[in-house]
Amino acid sequence: MSDPSRAVAAAFPARLLAFSGRRQGLGVNIALALALSIVCAAILIALAGRSPLAGFLAILDGAFGSAHQIGAALNRSTPYLLSGVGVAICLRAGIINLGAEGQIALGGAGAAAAALAIPNAPPVVAIVVALAAGALAGAAWSGVAAAIHLGRRVHEVLVTILLNFIALLLVQQLLAGWLGQVGAGFLQSPLMPRGAWLPKMPDFDAHIGILIAVVAALGAWFLIWRTPFGFGLRVAGASRLAAAYAGFSRSQLTWGAMALAGALAGLAGGVEVLGIHRRLIEGFSLGFGFKAVTVALLGATEPLAIIPAALFIGFLETGSLAMQRQIGVPTALVTVIEGLTMIFVLVAMAARRK
Amino acid sequence: MPPLLEMLGIVRTFGAVRANDNINLTVQSGEILGLLGENGSGKSTLMKVLYGMLPPDSGDIRFRDAPLDAKSPFDAIKAGIAMIHQHFMLVEAMTVTENILLGWPGGGQVLKHKQMAEHIRQASRRFGLDLDPDARISALSLGRRQRVEILKAILRDAELLILDEPTSNLAPTEVRELLDIMRRLRSEGKGIVFISHKLPEVLDVCDRVVVLRAGKLAGEAAVASISREQLAEMMVGRNVPMPRVTEGEHRRGALRLSVRGLSATGLSAITFDLRGGEILGIAGVDGNGQLELAEALAGLRPVTDGIVLIGDHDATQASVTARVEMGLAYLPADRSHTALVKAMTVFDNLMLRDSRRPPYGTRALLTPKTGVARARDLMAQYDIRAPGVDFVVGQLSGGNQQKVVIARELSRAPTAVVAHQATWGLDPGATRFVLDQMIALRQQGAAIVYISSELEEILSISDRIAVMAGGAIAGVTPNRNVDLRQIGLWMSGRHA
Ligand SMILES: Nc1ncnc2c1ncn2[C@@H]1O[C@H](COP(=O)(O)OP(=O)(O)OP(=O)(O)O)[C@@H](O)[C@H]1O
Ligand SMILES: [Mg+2]
C-alpha cells in the first residue's frame, strides 16, 4: 500500500458522493464534508427524538464553552497526536502499524513503573525519567513487532494487531501483580508521586502534554523532509524496488520507523498516565490505536497536518460527550456521528487526490 | 462509409504545455493506424482524451457515427473502445477466466465460469492468442498477459483498440506474434491505434501513420508510400543515424570491472574483464539472464558464486551504496519502479541514490539548498525538459524520464557503468542522446556494460560484443567484421 489515502479512496465510493468534483480545492471538499456530516448528524439526533439545534449547541459549548472544556479537549487530542504521528511515520514507508494501542498501554506501564520507582526524585527529573521509560517501553514493544515481521516475514498488520492483545494482558498482569494497588476495587496502580504529575498550563486545564506532542510533530516533520532517513522512508513507501536501488535497506527503515512509532505511542501512554489519570489503570488505552490510524490518515501522513487532525478529533469527542450529557443522546449515536464525520472528511481528501 | 473514429480539433493543455494542439485524427474500421512522434509529442495524451481519462479543453469526438463524450474509461469501454495499458490491470493470483469475469459489465446477469472459459477458448483460437483459460496470470509471460488484456477487449466487443507502446517490453518473437494478432483483428474489421517508437514494426503492420510533433499534427502518410528515413524525418525534422564507434580511437585504460564465474539464480558462471574506455555490448533475446546479470553487478541480487571486482575493490558482497561509492553507475531497465519514483519530483529522483552525499546531504541531514542548485544544474546540463525541479517525474515524457536517470547516474563521473535497456520507449532522437552519452563516457575512460535487446545499438557502440543465452555467455566477439549469423546462433543458445 503506497498511498494510504488512495487506499481509502478505493475503499469508499468517493465518486458517488456529490462533492467529489474533479478540480475543486481541498478546502472546498472538506467544507462540504463537514456540512454533509452536520446534516447526517442532525438527522440522527432528530431520529433519536432530540433537537438537532440543541445538540449542536451542546457540542460547541462542550468543546469551546470554557477554558476548562478547551483544556479537556486539548488533553484528549494529545495522545492522538503523538501516536498518530508515529503511525504516519510508518505509513510513509508503507508499513501499516496497527499496534499503537499496545504500545500506548506498555508506555503507560513503563512510565508508571519508573515514576513509582523513584518516589522522591525532584519533579523535572521524575517526569523526564518516567516519560523516557514510557517511550522506551513503547519502542521495545514495537521492536518486538518489527523483529517478528522482518525475521519471520509475518505481515505487519497481523503482528501489530496480535501484539496489542498481548500488551493489554501484560499490563493486566502487572496491575494484578507488583504494579497493582493492594486493596483497590479495580486493576490500578497506586497514585503517582506528586513530582511525576505533568504540570498544567497557566489559565488552562490542559497539561503540558499537548506541547510535547506538537514538538514531536515538528520533529517528525523534520525527520521526514530534512533527513536522508526520512527520504528513504518516502522512497520506500512509493516503491520498494526503488528504495533497494537507492541503497536504503528495508530492515533498517522498518526498524527505525517502528521504533520511532513505538516511542511516540509509549510517550502518549506516559503522558496519559502522568497527566490525566496519575496512575496506571487497566484499559486506559482502549480505542486509542485506531484513533491513531484515523488521525494519521486525516492528516494525510503529513506531521504538520496531523496537528489539526488530532485537534479536530479531540474537540469533536469532547463536544460530543458534552452533548451526550446535556441532551441525553445515546453514547452509540455519538460514536456514529464521530465516525461519519471522519469518513466524510477522509473521502473528501481522497476524492481530491484522484 | 463514415470513419469508425473521428477526433476533431482536440486541444489539451497542462499549464503552459500544449500537449495536444488542435489535432484531427480518423481511424477506419479494419485499419491499423500508427501514431508516431517524439517523446512528449502528445500521443498518450491524445489517447487518454479519447479513452475518457483526461477531459479535453476543446474538440469533438465521433465514434461509430455518434458523438462520444467519455467522462471516464468506463464510458469509453461501453462505447466500444479498449485501451491496452503498459502496466496490465490483472490480478496475478487469479486465472485468465477469473480475470475476464472480474468487472464484467452488466453486473446482474452473472456469466457462468464454464461458459466464459468456452468463450475464451473460442476467441483465443480465432485470433491466435494461444491462451489457456485456466492458466494463472502469475505464470504467464508479459506478452501473454498483454494478450489477456486484448482478449478482454475482444470479449467486450470493442471496435477500436488502443495499443500504447505495446511492444517495448516484449521479446522479438512475442512482438511478431502480437503483430500477427493485430492483423487478425484488422481482418475482423476492428480499428487499431498503434503507438510505437520502433519504425520497422510500424512499417511492417500499419496501413497509415499520423505523426505528432510538439503537440501538433506534423504529417500523415500511407505506409505503402513512405520509407523509414522519410518517416524518421517526419518525426524529428531530420534523419537520426546511429553513431559509430571505431575501435582503437583511443588507448585502453586500467581494469575497471572484472567478473569471474559470477553465478546467481538465473545466471551461471559469467566471466569478463573490462578496461576503462571500453564498451562491452551484451546482446541476446530478452529474458536470458540479462536482468540477473545487471542486478548481480549492481548489488541487487544475491550472488551464489564468483567474484566481482570494481576497480581494485572486491565488490562481491558489497552493498548497493558501497558499489556506487566504488564508482559504479547503474541504469536499470525497469524505469517506472526501480530507476525512478514516478510519484516523486525531479529533484527527489535526481538525489535518489545520493541523498547521503554532498551536495544533496550528509549522513544525517539533507541540504536542500545546495541539492536543489545541483538539480537545477543537471536539468540544464542534460536538457531535462520539465517546468522545474519540483515537477513530478511521472508526468514527464519517456525521454525526459530517462534523462533524469542518466543525469543522476552519469554526473557522478562513474568509472564503471551498467546500462540495461537504456533506450526502451525512447524516440530516435532520445536514443541517439543516450548512445552519445555512452560514447562520451567511454572517451572519458569509463568501462561500460551495455545490455540491450536492440542488436543495432549494440553493433553501433560496442568495442566487444557478448551474447547471452540461458543465463550464460554463449559467445564473445570483437565488434569488427561481425558475423551476424554467428550472433544469431549464439542467441538461439546453440554454441557453434
Ligand atoms: N498529467 C500531466 N501533467 C502535466 N503535464 C503532462 C501530464 N501528462 C503529460 N504531460 C506533458 O504533456 C506532454 C505530452 O505528453 P505525452 O505523455 O502525451 O507524450 P507522448 O507522446 O506519449 O510521449 P512518450 O513517447 O514519451 O510516451 C509532455 O510534455 C508531458 O510532460
Ligand atoms: Mg506516451
Side-chain angles (χ1 to χ4, degrees), chain A residues 53-142:
Chain A
L53 186 64
F56 290 129
L57 289 177
I59 291 185
L60 284 177
D61 187 48
F64 301 103
S66 67
H68 173 77
Q69 290 297 342
I70 294 177
L74 288 175
N75 283 346
R76 205 168 176 95
S77 311
T78 302
Y80 299 162
L81 178 50
L82 280 166
S83 53
V85 165
V87 169
I89 290 175
C90 288
L91 277 175
R92 281 279 168 175
I95 303 165
I96 305 166
N97 166 17
L98 299 182
E101 184 138 341
Q103 293 148 20
I104 292 171
L106 282 178
L116 289 171
I118 45 168
N120 301 317
V124 177
V125 175
I127 289 171
V128 170
V129 168
L131 289 182
L136 218 61
W141 199 242
S142 61

Side-chain angles (χ1 to χ4, degrees), chain B residues 373-439:
Chain B
R374 161 65 65 91
R376 291 224 169 87
D377 284 352
L378 289 179
M379 274 185 70
Q381 195 181 330
Y382 288 85
D383 190 29
I384 299 167
R385 308 245 173 97
V389 291
D390 285 332
F391 197 70
V392 172
V393 155
Q395 292 175 356
L396 294 178
S397 74
N400 280 300
Q401 291 185 9
Q402 183 67 333
K403 278 184 187 172
V404 172
V405 180
I406 288 183
R408 178 183 65 223
E409 294 302 307
L410 302 195
S411 62
R412 242 183 262 123
T415 55
V417 180
V418 175
H420 187 199
Q421 300 291 19
T423 61
W424 256 354
L426 300 193
D427 66 45
T431 299
R432 177 69 201 247
F433 173 84
V434 172
L435 298 181
D436 286 344
Q437 288 289 329
M438 294 294 146
I439 294 171

Side-chain angles (χ1 to χ4, degrees), chain B residues 448-464:
Chain B
I448 299 167
V449 181
Y450 190 84
I451 308 173
S452 171
S453 49
E454 302 288 329
L455 191 56
E456 201 180 355
E457 292 175 12
I458 300 251
L459 289 168
S460 139
I461 67 165
S462 307
D463 294 292
R464 267 186 299 156

Side-chain angles (χ1 to χ4, degrees), chain B residues 300-437:
Chain B
L300 287 164
R301 178 172 290 257
V303 166
T304 51
D305 197 15
I307 301 176
V308 178
L309 298 177
I310 299 173
D312 307 329
H313 308 276
D314 181 353
T316 315
Q317 299 300 333
S319 69
V320 179
T321 311
R323 288 178 208 229
V324 171
E325 277 159 6
M326 289 172 195
L328 181 74
Y330 175 35
L331 283 68
D334 172 24
R335 229 168 284 152
S336 322
H337 304 288
T338 306
L340 293 170
V341 185
K342 283 196 162 178
M344 293 177 100
T345 63
V346 171
F347 169 66
D348 288 333
N349 277 283
L350 284 172
M351 110 166 140
L352 188 65
R353 302 178 91 198
D354 300 281
S355 60
R356 291 192 172 96
R357 278 183 295 275
Y360 295 107
T362 62
R363 284 201 67 78
L365 292 180
L366 296 179
T367 48
K369 219 181 234 158
T370 51
V372 167
R374 161 65 65 91
R376 291 224 169 87
D377 284 352
L378 289 179
M379 274 185 70
Q381 195 181 330
Y382 288 85
D383 190 29
I384 299 167
R385 308 245 173 97
V389 291
D390 285 332
F391 197 70
V392 172
V393 155
Q395 292 175 356
L396 294 178
S397 74
N400 280 300
Q401 291 185 9
Q402 183 67 333
K403 278 184 187 172
V404 172
V405 180
I406 288 183
R408 178 183 65 223
E409 294 302 307
L410 302 195
S411 62
R412 242 183 262 123
T415 55
V417 180
V418 175
H420 187 199
Q421 300 291 19
T423 61
W424 256 354
L426 300 193
D427 66 45
T431 299
R432 177 69 201 247
F433 173 84
V434 172
L435 298 181
D436 286 344
Q437 288 289 329

Side-chain angles (χ1 to χ4, degrees), chain A residues 6 15 22-23 222 224-229 231-232 234-235 238-248 252, chain B residues 12 55 71 300 320-321 330 332 337-339 341 344 348 351-353 355-356 362-366 368 408-409:
Chain A
R6 198 158 316 143
R15 310 208 59 178
R22 280 191 195 203
R23 294 193 185 171
F222 189 85
I224 288 173
W225 292 106
R226 287 287 181 271
T227 69
F229 177 76
F231 180 60
R234 287 186 280 133
V235 171
S239 162
R240 288 205 169 154
L241 291 171
Y245 170 65
F248 293 108
Q252 268 177 30
Chain B
R12 168 71 209 209
K71 297 259 184 267
L300 287 164
V320 179
T321 311
Y330 175 35
H337 304 288
T338 306
V341 185
M344 293 177 100
D348 288 333
M351 110 166 140
L352 188 65
R353 302 178 91 198
S355 60
R356 291 192 172 96
T362 62
R363 284 201 67 78
L365 292 180
L366 296 179
R408 178 183 65 223
E409 294 302 307

Side-chain angles (χ1 to χ4, degrees), chain B residues 260-326:
Chain B
R260 300 249 157 281
L262 185 66
S263 301
T265 13
L267 197 64
S268 56
I270 304 289
T271 296
F272 61 81
D273 278 329
L274 208 52
R275 298 190 166 276
E278 216 184 343
I279 299 181
L280 172 66
I282 297 195
V285 177
D286 216 43
N288 273 282
Q290 291 96 328
L291 175 67
E292 290 77 2
L293 174 61
E295 290 187 346
L297 291 175
L300 287 164
R301 178 172 290 257
V303 166
T304 51
D305 197 15
I307 301 176
V308 178
L309 298 177
I310 299 173
D312 307 329
H313 308 276
D314 181 353
T316 315
Q317 299 300 333
S319 69
V320 179
T321 311
R323 288 178 208 229
V324 171
E325 277 159 6
M326 289 172 195

Side-chain angles (χ1 to χ4, degrees), chain A residues 52-353:
Chain A
L53 186 64
F56 290 129
L57 289 177
I59 291 185
L60 284 177
D61 187 48
F64 301 103
S66 67
H68 173 77
Q69 290 297 342
I70 294 177
L74 288 175
N75 283 346
R76 205 168 176 95
S77 311
T78 302
Y80 299 162
L81 178 50
L82 280 166
S83 53
V85 165
V87 169
I89 290 175
C90 288
L91 277 175
R92 281 279 168 175
I95 303 165
I96 305 166
N97 166 17
L98 299 182
E101 184 138 341
Q103 293 148 20
I104 292 171
L106 282 178
L116 289 171
I118 45 168
N120 301 317
V124 177
V125 175
I127 289 171
V128 170
V129 168
L131 289 182
L136 218 61
W141 199 242
S142 61
V144 172
I148 298 176
H149 168 55
L150 291 171
R152 293 265 157 254
R153 294 173 177 233
V154 188
H155 198 284
E156 74 269 15
V157 164
L158 205 60
V159 180
T160 49
I161 288 187
L162 292 178
L163 283 178
N164 283 341
F165 297 115
I166 301 179
L168 295 183
L169 289 172
L170 260 174
V171 171
Q172 231 178 59
Q173 280 304 306
L174 285 175
L175 287 175
W178 58 272
L179 254 183
Q181 186 181 29
V182 188
F186 337 87
L187 284 179
Q188 61 174 33
S189 75
L191 205 60
M192 297 293 112
R194 258 192 175 279
W197 294 11
L198 282 191
K200 294 203 164 153
M201 289 189 282
D203 307 327
F204 267 124
D205 232 2
H207 57 69
I208 59 165
I210 188 72
L211 301 179
I212 299 176
V214 168
V215 170
L218 295 175
W221 176 88
F222 189 85
L223 179 90
I224 288 173
W225 292 106
R226 287 287 181 271
T227 69
F229 177 76
F231 180 60
L233 292 178
R234 287 186 280 133
V235 171
S239 162
R240 288 205 169 154
L241 291 171
Y245 170 65
F248 293 108
S249 125
R250 199 169 99 68
S251 67
Q252 268 177 30
L253 292 175
T254 306
W255 279 112
M258 286 296 281
L260 281 167
L264 286 167
L267 194 57
V271 165
E272 276 297 285
V273 165
L274 303 183
I276 307 279
H277 309 296
R278 294 178 180 150
R279 56 170 95 234
L280 183 63
I281 304 173
E282 193 211 351
F284 81 94
S285 67
L286 276 185
F288 282 21
F290 289 108
K291 288 281 161 57
V293 177
T294 312
V295 167
L297 291 178
L298 265 181
T301 70
E302 175 57 62
L304 298 187
I306 296 174
I307 299 175
L311 291 174
F312 172 63
I313 297 214
F315 277 84
L316 179 65
E317 281 187 6
T318 312
S320 306
L321 287 174
M323 167 175 77
Q324 183 195 339
R325 281 194 307 272
Q326 286 182 25
I327 68 167
V329 292
T331 328
L333 189 57
V334 173
T335 315
V336 169
I337 291 173
E338 267 178 47
L340 275 178
T341 310
M342 287 179 221
I343 289 175
F344 284 139
V345 173
L346 280 171
V347 170
M349 289 170 34
R352 205 189 85 96
R353 298 186 150 225

